[in-house]
Amino acid sequence: SPFGTSGSRWPMMIIDAQVHIWAPETPEKPYAKGNASEPHRPIPLGHEELLREMDGSGVHRCVLVPLKWEADRNDTSLEAARLHPDRFAVMGRLKINAPETRALVATWKNQPHMLGVRMVFNRGRSREWLEDGTADWFWEAAERYDVPVMAFAPGAVPKLAAIAERHSGLRMIIDHMGLSTALRGKPLDSAVDDLIKMVRLPNVAVKVSALPCYVEEAYPFPTLHPLIHRVVDAFGPQRCFWGTDLSHLPCSYRQAVTLFTEELGFLSATDKEWIMGRGIGGWLNWPSEDRTI
């Protein structure tokens, strides 16, 4: 198989650590306005199309990450997971600046198919929330109730490092290797330097995700190879989680898979097993009933 094997009797489990799906805009569920964000494409990516893409590319499971234009709702992703619990689970959105949401963290994981929370601090007021105290309550609550967090804060990775160090029981995943689309086509080494400074924190893992979005070159994206090598060497394959951000991808889904399974010669078969699915399955406590991951 082009997707490799784990050395066990099961094919290697491949879990995409980040895919956005969303529903069409309706009067009952209008898109959020004024947040400097537009849908990635004019036709929504729904779960049925995603399943076809997954089946065509050898991807067994996806972590669904709701989007800001659906106004902090998680219903589209949770419904997909309800219909296909063997294929989907959710890292949901939570409105961090709304006092009424604080009570939700204690029972967050009681929601069927909900694995944790994904936080975005990348533009406008959301960037300020890391600095002005708005987000402070959340890190304490997520640590207390063992709610894993994916954090996207390009340009603020050192701040995330300080949070993870202060909350040593908090399971934090740094999205997209800490990269920003503002760096597309530019040197990425300094951003990776900031990320690697977090390696000493055992409660921090990394999504090696959406990486083709940050370079202006064709598959197999040679500029990315030494950067991935540095990150995997530093954190180890057990703390590096493959993902695509499919609706953003400048390449095919299959190429996003084979970039890791075929093009990165420095990865062993065991490395690939961890990076492509086993690691995130364990980190987010998303066990498999029919496979060993």
Side-chain angles (χ1 to χ4, degrees):
S1 164
F3 305 109
T5 62
S6 65
S8 67
R9 64 193 182 95
W10 292 110
M12 179 173 65
M13 171 69 80
I14 297 182
I15 302 175
D16 192 332
Q18 177 168 316
V19 176
H20 304 296
I21 62 171
W22 65 101
E25 185 175 28
T26 66
E28 295 75 27
K29 294 182 179 180
Y31 290 165
K33 307 299 181 187
N35 60 4
S37 176
E38 295 293 334
H40 299 159
R41 60 185 218 179
I43 301 175
L45 175 61
H47 74 267
E48 292 180 352
E49 179 182 350
L50 175 55
L51 284 171
R52 292 192 294 270
E53 289 272 9
M54 292 165 65
D55 291 343
S57 302
V59 177
H60 302 103
R61 293 176 164 191
C62 283
V63 178
L64 301 179
V65 178
L67 284 150
K68 63 183 66 178
W69 58 79
E70 286 206 310
D72 294 304
R73 294 194 310 270
N74 299 308
D75 53 326
T76 301
S77 294
L78 287 173
E79 175 65 4
R82 184 188 70 80
L83 292 171
H84 303 279
D86 57 330
R87 309 300 297 277
F88 301 130
V90 182
M91 289 290 284
R93 292 183 66 84
L94 184 150
K95 198 169 185 179
I96 202 170
N97 62 330
E100 64 270 18
T101 66
R102 296 192 179 197
L104 300 178
V105 179
T107 58
W108 189 257
K109 292 192 299 182
N110 293 349
Q111 301 174 81
H113 318 297
M114 186 70 83
L115 300 176
V117 173
R118 201 256 184 152
M119 283 294 173
V120 176
F121 306 98
N122 68 332
R123 57 176 55 145
R125 287 184 60 207
S126 71
R127 291 192 69 126
E128 300 170 7
W129 293 340
L130 279 176
E131 302 290 345
D132 66 8
T134 300
D136 290 356
W137 73 269
F138 171 73
W139 309 116
E140 181 180 346
E143 179 182 29
R144 180 184 309 145
Y145 297 109
D146 192 26
V147 176
V149 178
M150 291 177 172
F152 181 50
V157 168
K159 179 65 176 178
L160 294 178
I163 292 166
E165 185 165 25
R166 188 162 61 248
H167 299 282
S168 60
L170 172 68
R171 283 184 285 163
M172 180 185 290
I173 301 171
I174 307 301
D175 285 359
H176 309 337
M177 292 191 347
L179 302 177
S180 164
T181 51
L183 298 174
R184 180 179 170 85
K186 300 176 183 178
L188 304 175
D189 300 84
S190 61
V192 173
D193 290 342
D194 282 341
L195 175 70
I196 287 177
K197 291 175 184 175
M198 301 181 78
V199 70
R200 62 190 171 80
L201 302 171
N203 58 322
V204 172
V206 181
K207 277 158 66 176
V208 287
S209 51
L211 301 182
C213 299
Y214 301 108
V215 294
E216 292 180 343
E217 60 190 8
Y219 181 88
F221 312 109
T223 298
L224 295 174
H225 297 197
L227 299 175
I228 297 169
H229 198 169
R230 285 184 64 199
V231 171
V232 173
D233 270 359
F235 284 87
Q238 295 91 344
R239 288 198 285 159
C240 294
F241 310 144
W242 172 82
T244 66
D245 213 359
L246 177 60
S247 55
H248 268 307
L249 268 187
C251 63
S252 71
Y253 204 13
R254 177 67 178 268
Q255 287 175 323
V257 174
T258 58
L259 170 62
F260 277 76
T261 60
E262 296 182 7
E263 303 293 344
L264 303 181
F266 55 86
L267 296 179
S268 70
T270 302
D271 293 340
K272 294 174 189 177
E273 178 186 8
W274 281 104
I275 294 168
M276 299 303 292
R278 183 176 182 182
I280 196 165
W283 193 273
L284 297 181
N285 192 27
W286 188 11
S288 173
E289 297 178 358
D290 60 348
R291 294 174 184 268
T292 301
I293 64 171

